[in-house]
Amino acid sequence: MLTTSPAFKQNATTALADAGLQKALANAKAGFMQKRARAVAALPEFEALRDLGRDIKNHTIAHLDFYLDTYARNVEAEGGKVHWCETADDARRAVVEICRSVGARTVTKGKSMIGEELGINEHLEAAGIEPIETDLGEYIIQLRKEPPSHIIAPAFHLNREDWIEAFREKHTELAPGRVLDERKTLIDEARTILRSRFLAADVGITGANMLIAETGSSVIVTNEGNGDLTQTLPKVHIVLASIEKVVPTLEDACTILRLLARSATGQDFSTYTTFSTGPRRAPDLDGPAEYHVILLDNGRTSMIGTEFQEMLRCIRCAACMNHCPVYGAVGGHAYGWVYPGPMGSVLTPSLIGVDKAGHLPNASTFCGKCESVCPMKIPLPKMMRHWREREFERHLSPSAARFGLGVWAWFARRPWAYRLATRIGAGTLGFAGRKRGRFGSLPLAGGWTGGRDMPAPEGETFQARYARLRKQGLV
Amino acid sequence: MAALEQDARGRMLGRIRRGLRRGELPESVASGLVERLKAHPRNLIPARSKLPRAEQVALWKANIEKEYGTVALAASEAEIPGLVADYLASQNIPAVVRLAPDPSITSLPWHDRPLLSVAAGRAEGTDVVSVTPCFAAVAETGTMFFPSGPHHPTTLNIVPETQVVVLRQSRIVGAYEEAWDMLRREHGTVGDGPTGTRFMPRNVMLVTGPSRTADIEQTIELGAHGPRRVHVILLQDEQP
Amino acid sequence: MRHTPPRVALFATCLVDLYRPTVGFAAIKLLKEAGCTVVVPEGQTCCGQPAYNSGDKADAQDIARSVIALLEPYDYVVVPSGSCGGMIREQYAALFAADPEWKLRAERLGARTFELVSFLVDVMGMTGVEARYEGMATYHDSCSGLRELGIKGQPRALLATVAGLTLAEMEDAEVCCGFGGTFCVKYPDISVRMVSDKVERIRATGADTLLAGDLGCLLNMAGRLQRLGHTVRVRHVAEVLAGMTDAVPPIGEGQARQGGAR
Ligand code: SF4
């Protein structure tokens, strides 16, 4: 997928002025937060499960070579095939090759962030194969030819009117005058149209929420059931998964599942959690004849052993973005690549380079809300700060900011100079602002005074006044 | 191609090891990890499902109802066809039913209900109602386990608009882990994978209520792609 | 009770030093009331957060070393700010992950460093104050204080004992105000949007006073409230707890209004 991350700032400004987007964001975000809070409050063990989830993932990553190898051998023992793909290119080639080998004309798809990372739809189309998104949120954005704006709710940025408009425009086989006002009507229409596509597809592509080393299973979690239709009906099932999705056992998976739905949608458990293990068995009446797993690296192995290793614990629940005030203000598209919000601000620079994604780890107040809700206890702000350090070391941060910071640090290290400068500064500003108590504009402070007044200082610095009063014996 | 992928496998595993600053795991460590896989220790199981039996069953029922499933009680197997017919009639659903080809379902006295047209097999696109047995149900969240097999085609759980589930009360357990252990016990055979055992069916669906979506304005609507209705007939096969 | 009062170093923070000295004096008063001996170590500047959060680790370490050396001799260090307190308490040790000697010193100092209000309540056992303030106040939980240091109940408990004051909780009191140090000038559009949301929450309570424990957030919220022409009085919580609101007009308000209003 192409990135507009370098233009984050402009993207954000545009997003803030987009009334439709702002309406959708305002409607959606409170619901996610309240539902999660309720689900978490109802499970006294939630905090203990977070610790366990973190420990399970840490253990797995510390032995990732063992667990991936075991997982792959189990898939093969069940008659499936694992495609080890080092790059996005390798993965795209493998997918297209599998589709061609069965002469596929249409491919149904369950929601997959790896699919987005690969831009797999464009590549399938280029190969003459039609991809059909079946998650309703993915379906609408495919119709609108835009990327998802959220990792579990791809159409987070849309309002009902947008759905109605897209359905009228694209479902030309249906009566143009039909009534489409209700959510229910829209869903029924999509269900009917997609049902025929499910039955006709040659290949089904899904993502994977987890891979189980113990059994060689891939796990998908959905509420719609589209993933199950996708992987059950066609001749071939392709699983797109990245290497950090593996966990050791079914029991470990259950611990993580107890965290996942609660953190994501505030459900106790998602409607469908499905474990797939190899292709159709001889006496079975249904299921795909071929089962392939695309096991993608695409930059992840190079996070191991660095300060970003902990990011590999991420289970893509979206709690961090659901609770992020920056995401809530600008939405997902502003981030400019596949993964928005706090998890994207850490992951995107790892995957596409901090030179392109440098804004993302900077566009945070470090309010810490994301870390406080992350079921995997990933220290997201700490890792954003590590990116800032790398940018600073590589001189990627803007030079005016570096200069300002340098001047300030020079004073902060020299108490005598600091005292002198602050006395003069506070005195001057305090005197100038003593009547009104604030400034509407100040030289060099446009970033602040564009939207805020600048309160004036009292005048004398604390340290000066303290020294004076002490001398007078008053403190 | 195969050789190339072997290389990719080796290179990816090698990069992981370099990141972890070690070589291949020593045999002693690796065998410890295999032992952990074989032992598959339970982590933390929330206390909420550890209840006296009657309350555990009630918790399962409350949870599946909370998730928009419906439940009818059957005192005996003989009542089941009648309960199915009544349910379909009450919902105005055509009385044409695809049964799971499982003896526990096909052997029910369907002929007592001649207006009900039944056939066994996998679900086709035209099927509107299925009747499936449930392997195990979990009180913790109301979740039901449907492992696939020759008698249990996956399509029955997902293609029809209405899924009628026959659940024996004795198959209700507290937590997911207990259901997995039942599966290991009842399906386990010797396998040639790294753990030496094999028990996973091709597909295991964990279902918690009817299909739904919140993709439009983050508001839940039922019946997105899978069944719009999940109706469970709870067969009371336990002594009170 | 203690026999020797603890020797507490007040680290005022550069914002208080520069903008709002009264907060420093309010802190001194409260600490004395709680039975502490208060020292303001000479030569203090800033905790180093701007450098740390901008990725300038070398400068942040330099500054941290001098702060540690300056504050080490005291029983406790008290900071009238959650974010600067959190910097010394939680982040200094992280800065020296690769330097065992300094890491140890940072940890030792961190363990004795507290934000003002949580120190009064949690360490000194203060349960009430002798102060009066006429008004209805709403309290904003600043992010670092809340999530890094667990400050939530302490300021509310003490405010409940201020005569004449009623507390009205705002919705989303725990949501960031959009200050974020350099964030507010690097991404002004997003920051202004966040602080505008906060202003709406504040206004919805009907409170006439906004309190918080971090001057950065207070300057941000006061600046936005005033830009929009709202008359909510903005103050650091210490000013109210110390009964020192007569000493200085609310943040961003000049002597003109102060004189006229009283
Ligand atoms: S970083 Fe944490 S909260 Fe965010 S998506 Fe990943 S697991 Fe969820």
Side-chain angles (χ1 to χ4, degrees), chain A residues 22 359 388 413 451 453, chain C residues 53 59 187 193 224 227:
Chain A
Q22 291 301 327
H359 269 302
R388 296 184 190 184
R413 280 185 319 230
D453 286 357
Chain C
N53 286 343
D59 275 328
Y187 300 95
R193 163 59 195 282
R224 185 61 185 166
R227 173 60 55 92

Side-chain angles (χ1 to χ4, degrees), chain B residues 94-140:
Chain B
V96 183
V97 174
R98 182 71 66 180
L99 303 180
D102 178 310
S104 76
I105 299 294
T106 50
S107 68
L108 296 171
W110 297 104
H111 43 79
D112 289 355
R113 288 288 173 152
L115 292 182
L116 209 56
S117 145
V118 298
R122 59 163 282 172
E124 302 299 340
T126 47
D127 289 336
V128 291
V129 182
S130 66
V131 177
T132 56
C134 177
F135 175 79
V138 175
E140 185 179 342

Side-chain angles (χ1 to χ4, degrees), chain A residues 369-388:
Chain A
K369 186 71 191 173
C370 49
E371 179 176 358
S372 77
V373 296
C374 173
M376 292 291 121
K377 294 200 156 181
I378 299 172
L380 294 153
K382 183 177 102 181
M383 287 190 283
M384 289 183 224
R385 189 183 288 111
H386 284 314
W387 278 123
R388 296 184 190 184

Side-chain angles (χ1 to χ4, degrees), chain A residues 8-9 12-13 16 22 325-326 329-330 359 362-369 372 385 388-389 392 405 408-409 412-413 415 418-419 422 426 434-438 440 447-458 460-463 465-466 469 475, chain C residues 10 12 14 17-22 24-25 28 40 43-46 48 50-57 59 62-63 91 143 147 176 179-180 183-194 219-220 223-224 226-227 248 251-256:
Chain A
F8 173 80
K9 230 174 147 166
T13 304
L16 287 165
Q22 291 301 327
V326 174
V330 302
H359 269 302
N362 280 288
S364 162
T365 62
F366 286 160
C367 81
K369 186 71 191 173
S372 77
R385 189 183 288 111
R388 296 184 190 184
E389 281 163 15
F392 193 86
L405 192 66
W408 168 86
R413 280 185 319 230
Y418 168 91
R419 217 157 34 231
T422 51
R434 73 191 183 287
K435 276 263 152 45
R436 193 164 161 250
R438 56 185 182 268
W448 180 283
T449 53
R452 287 162 286 234
D453 286 357
M454 174 73 97
E458 285 181 37
E460 201 177 11
T461 67
F462 170 68
Q463 295 189 68
R465 196 188 298 173
Y466 181 78
L469 293 179
V475 279
Chain C
L10 178 70
C14 56
D17 188 36
L18 193 63
Y19 264 94
R20 197 84 181 155
T22 302
F25 290 99
I28 293 174
V40 178
Q44 53 179 284
T45 61
C46 167
Y52 184 52
N53 286 343
S54 301
D56 179 0
K57 207 167 164 179
D59 275 328
D62 269 1
I63 295 164
Q91 304 298 330
C143 299
R147 279 179 278 272
C176 179
F179 173 62
F183 173 86
C184 68
V185 287
K186 276 199 281 187
Y187 300 95
D189 292 354
I190 305 174
S191 174
V192 168
R193 163 59 195 282
M194 288 164 69
L219 293 172
N220 181 41
R224 185 61 185 166
Q226 285 153 8
R227 173 60 55 92
V248 59
I251 294 169
E253 285 182 25
Q255 291 152 1

Side-chain angles (χ1 to χ4, degrees), chain A residues 151 260 263 311 313-321 342-344 370-371 373-378 380:
Chain A
I151 62 172
L260 176 60
S263 301
M311 193 60 212
R313 289 205 299 266
C314 175
I315 57 172
R316 307 289 189 265
C317 72
C320 54
M321 63 196 73
M343 58 81 71
C370 49
E371 179 176 358
V373 296
C374 173
M376 292 291 121
K377 294 200 156 181
I378 299 172
L380 294 153

